[in-house]
Amino acid sequence: MYELFLNKKALIVDDFSEFRVSLKSMMESFGCTDIDLARNGEEATASYAAKKHDIVLCDYNLGKSQNGQQVLEEISLQGWLRADTVFVLITAETSLSMVMGALEFRPDDYMTKPITKGNLRTRLTRTLEQKSELIEIYQAQNEREFSQVVALCKQKITNGNKYKGICYRIMAEALLQQEKPLQAQKIYQQLVDLRPAQWCLLGLAQSQFMAKQFDQCIATGHIALEDNPNSVEIHDLISQCYTLKKQIPQAREHLSKALAISPLSIKRQRKAAHLATLANDPQARLRALRQVSSLGQHSIQSEADDHALYVDELLEHSKTASGSNRRRLMADAQRQVDIISKKTKRSTREQVQNDVLISRFAHITGDTAKSKHYLERALTSSKELLESQDETSLQMLKRTLVNADCSNELKALEAQQQAAQKAHAEQEHLAANSQENKQGMKCYEAGDFMGAIQSFRIALSQSPSSTAIVLNLIQSMLKQPINSKNKQNVREECLQLLEKLSLLQPTNPRYQRYLTLLDKVRAL
């Protein structure tokens, strides 16, 4: 039994030295000798990135730094997590929101303290046996050889392997990775017809969503919810379907249910803020942005605008608030402005946002001279915001002009923005109809992805600000053969290209495509 632990690299992550030592002693008694210890999330992610451990035992509560969920989140989204790594989250907490949040990135196991030697050995042995039996499949996953994954899974299933249920699941997920939702759908449907297990229904709904069968996805989701009303993934999928169908009340209903179950997801809270905006619900938007700002402190999924958007909303609410509520909003806004102002190196847009927020805060508190100074400074940098189509910063600037009764400056800025939008639309039209872009699309449709990449690169060099060409290039790059040798280079280049589109707003018709490609790149 202990042979499973021989030559295995283990990582133990806990902020209490006594618990680290205790777990290390247990692992050594199982036959594991190569053991690393980490005191916090930063040490854990750095250690795993360097050694890619076979076993990770990670406590959920790691003090003031990243928590265990965020450690798993980071090594997953950075593309470091190996399919054959056994990742176990450990915690003393048992609240539903914490447990569901911890399970968002699908750890291999979840254990509550106190941890006994016998229980740890049993749980690890069970998972290691399964990983060992299917090691060829997991290695193919690590290499991103998804066709090989499917072939190996079929072989195991045909041979009657005792883990054939897991093989079906891995095989269908590999087909989704290859963007073959209809083939995956057949597998999930066959399994659902035999026994409608939750993971089968979820997979069926995911394949239907990928195939843009939104009504079928919603119907499958409701079947799954009859058996498990707490399925966060199903609520998320149904909400996405309703959002794309522009049925915002229904989208918010299911997203609210997902948040009630698992509120510790920064992506889910960000979606809640967006839907609240569409529904003209400022109170819900403020609540969601507060969560986004808080959750983003140690999360790889934080975005540059998180704090600024939250402060902007706080200041907007403080205009109509009174008494203790107004004092609370202003105090919170002051704390957030201080955080933003302490940043020593700022881009132009970050400086403009900082100036705008300081101006608004000063205006509300009656410091007219200070407010005017910072507003004038922000306006001098507005040209760059217009050129980059920075709608978020421009909206903050326009709000500030309204509050300061600067109607002439507001009209001028709006006119400049309309002119910039028109010029950008004309540039996008020319880029989309360029010979190089059309050639790239022909190559892509013919399955010549390397030819498509070459054509889109030329097109992008001629139209470097084209959103459509950037997305076309990334989509083509993800279609080329990707393995362990070129994966990191492809991932880094795609992320650099996506950074060019980081200012894209949910109102942009290409925003959903941008998010889809971003998720695919992060999954590399």
Side-chain angles (χ1 to χ4, degrees), residues 324-492:
S324 61
N325 185 37
R326 186 176 187 275
R327 289 192 294 273
R328 180 181 58 79
L329 290 168
M330 292 297 290
D332 199 356
Q334 181 67 69
R335 284 192 296 269
Q336 299 299 324
V337 168
D338 289 343
I339 291 172
I340 297 171
S341 299
K342 286 177 182 177
K343 189 173 182 179
T344 54
K345 293 183 179 180
R346 300 192 192 98
S347 63
T348 300
R349 70 185 304 268
E350 288 173 330
Q351 184 62 56
V352 171
Q353 288 182 357
N354 186 60
D355 290 345
V356 163
L357 294 173
I358 292 176
S359 174
R360 288 187 67 190
F361 193 92
H363 178 78
I364 293 171
T365 55
D367 192 340
T368 306
K370 184 176 182 180
S371 175
K372 181 180 179 181
H373 168 73
Y374 280 96
L375 181 54
E376 288 177 348
R377 197 166 82 168
L379 280 169
T380 60
S381 302
S382 61
K383 183 179 179 181
E384 185 172 324
L385 304 182
L386 292 165
E387 290 174 350
S388 62
Q389 297 287 294
D390 186 353
E391 293 182 29
T392 298
S393 299
L394 286 169
Q395 181 61 31
M396 291 171 60
L397 180 54
K398 286 192 290 185
R399 268 188 174 185
T400 306
L401 289 169
V402 170
N403 293 335
D405 295 324
C406 298
S407 57
N408 292 334
E409 289 85 351
L410 177 62
K411 288 178 181 178
L413 182 62
E414 288 178 335
Q416 292 169 0
Q417 187 176 11
Q418 288 175 2
Q421 288 171 341
K422 182 180 179 181
H424 181 76
E426 290 173 352
Q427 291 170 3
E428 278 288 351
H429 179 74
L430 290 173
N433 288 281
S434 68
Q435 182 179 347
E436 291 75 14
N437 188 56
K438 288 182 177 180
Q439 180 61 32
M441 293 176 72
K442 285 182 181 178
C443 290
Y444 185 90
E445 290 168 2
D448 179 11
F449 302 120
M450 299 308 294
I453 291 171
Q454 184 177 0
S455 294
F456 288 135
R457 285 193 196 282
I458 296 172
L460 187 61
S461 68
Q462 296 170 351
S463 304
S465 63
S466 171
T467 301
I469 293 176
V470 170
L471 294 173
N472 288 345
L473 176 55
I474 294 170
Q475 189 164 324
S476 299
M477 291 178 69
L478 293 176
K479 283 289 189 178
Q480 68 179 308
I482 300 175
N483 52 46
S484 59
K485 294 180 180 179
N486 69 348
K487 181 181 77 169
Q488 195 60 31
N489 289 336
V490 171
R491 189 176 191 276
E492 288 177 0

Side-chain angles (χ1 to χ4, degrees), residues 129-364:
E129 283 178 345
Q130 179 248 303
K131 298 270 187 180
S132 177
E133 178 66 26
L134 305 180
I135 187 62
E136 292 179 341
I137 295 174
Y138 289 120
Q139 288 174 342
Q141 281 186 306
N142 291 334
E143 297 292 328
R144 296 189 60 80
E145 298 287 351
F146 295 119
S147 296
Q148 181 71 359
V149 170
V150 172
L152 290 169
C153 285
K154 286 181 178 178
Q155 184 180 2
K156 292 286 186 183
I157 292 166
T158 302
N159 294 339
N161 189 278
K162 68 176 181 177
Y163 297 113
K164 67 179 183 180
I166 295 173
C167 290
Y168 273 118
R169 184 172 187 168
I170 294 174
M171 180 169 63
E173 289 175 350
L175 290 169
L176 292 179
Q177 288 276 1
Q178 296 178 87
E179 297 185 8
K180 297 178 179 179
L182 297 181
Q183 292 185 36
Q185 197 172 128
K186 288 181 180 179
I187 295 172
Y188 286 124
Q189 188 64 65
Q190 290 171 358
L191 295 170
V192 167
D193 290 342
L194 289 173
R195 186 172 69 87
Q198 272 292 307
W199 70 266
C200 299
L201 288 166
L202 174 60
L204 180 58
Q206 288 172 331
S207 62
Q208 291 165 336
F209 180 83
M210 187 177 285
K212 295 182 170 57
Q213 300 169 347
F214 301 133
D215 289 334
Q216 294 94 317
C217 178
I218 292 170
T220 300
H222 282 296
I223 293 171
L225 290 175
E226 289 177 6
D227 182 57
N228 180 14
N230 288 333
S231 176
V232 175
E233 297 92 341
I234 290 292
H235 283 299
D236 282 339
L237 267 178
I238 295 176
S239 178
Q240 284 181 276
C241 289
Y242 279 126
T243 300
L244 292 170
K245 287 164 64 70
K246 301 189 184 304
Q247 295 176 237
I248 304 307
Q250 295 91 329
R252 294 187 73 198
E253 176 188 353
H254 283 277
L255 188 63
S256 295
K257 289 178 179 178
L259 284 168
I261 301 163
S262 182
L264 303 180
S265 165
I266 190 170
K267 285 182 68 176
R268 190 171 295 120
Q269 293 288 358
R270 199 173 277 126
K271 288 177 183 176
H274 172 57
L275 290 178
T277 303
L278 295 178
N280 193 26
D281 186 344
Q283 289 294 338
R285 175 175 164 81
L286 178 63
R287 288 194 299 270
L289 288 175
R290 179 181 290 120
Q291 289 297 318
V292 169
S293 178
S294 175
L295 292 169
Q297 291 183 32
H298 301 291
S299 173
I300 190 176
Q301 297 190 79
S302 64
E303 294 181 359
D305 292 340
D306 287 345
H307 281 300
L309 286 171
Y310 177 41
V311 179
D312 187 53
E313 198 66 26
L314 283 169
L315 294 173
E316 191 68 14
H317 279 258
S318 69
K319 290 193 308 180
T320 55
S322 60
S324 61
N325 185 37
R326 186 176 187 275
R327 289 192 294 273
R328 180 181 58 79
L329 290 168
M330 292 297 290
D332 199 356
Q334 181 67 69
R335 284 192 296 269
Q336 299 299 324
V337 168
D338 289 343
I339 291 172
I340 297 171
S341 299
K342 286 177 182 177
K343 189 173 182 179
T344 54
K345 293 183 179 180
R346 300 192 192 98
S347 63
T348 300
R349 70 185 304 268
E350 288 173 330
Q351 184 62 56
V352 171
Q353 288 182 357
N354 186 60
D355 290 345
V356 163
L357 294 173
I358 292 176
S359 174
R360 288 187 67 190
F361 193 92
H363 178 78
I364 293 171

Side-chain angles (χ1 to χ4, degrees), residues 40-43 45 60-75 77-78 105 264 266 270 291-303 306-307 339:
N40 53 50
E42 287 76 9
E43 289 183 4
T45 53
Y60 180 86
N61 192 340
L62 298 174
K64 295 181 179 180
S65 70
Q66 289 174 306
N67 60 38
Q69 175 190 338
Q70 291 168 331
V71 170
L72 178 55
E73 174 185 291
E74 179 165 349
I75 65 175
L77 295 178
Q78 292 284 17
F105 280 83
L264 303 180
I266 190 170
R270 199 173 277 126
Q291 289 297 318
V292 169
S293 178
S294 175
L295 292 169
Q297 291 183 32
H298 301 291
S299 173
I300 190 176
Q301 297 190 79
S302 64
E303 294 181 359
D306 287 345
H307 281 300
I339 291 172

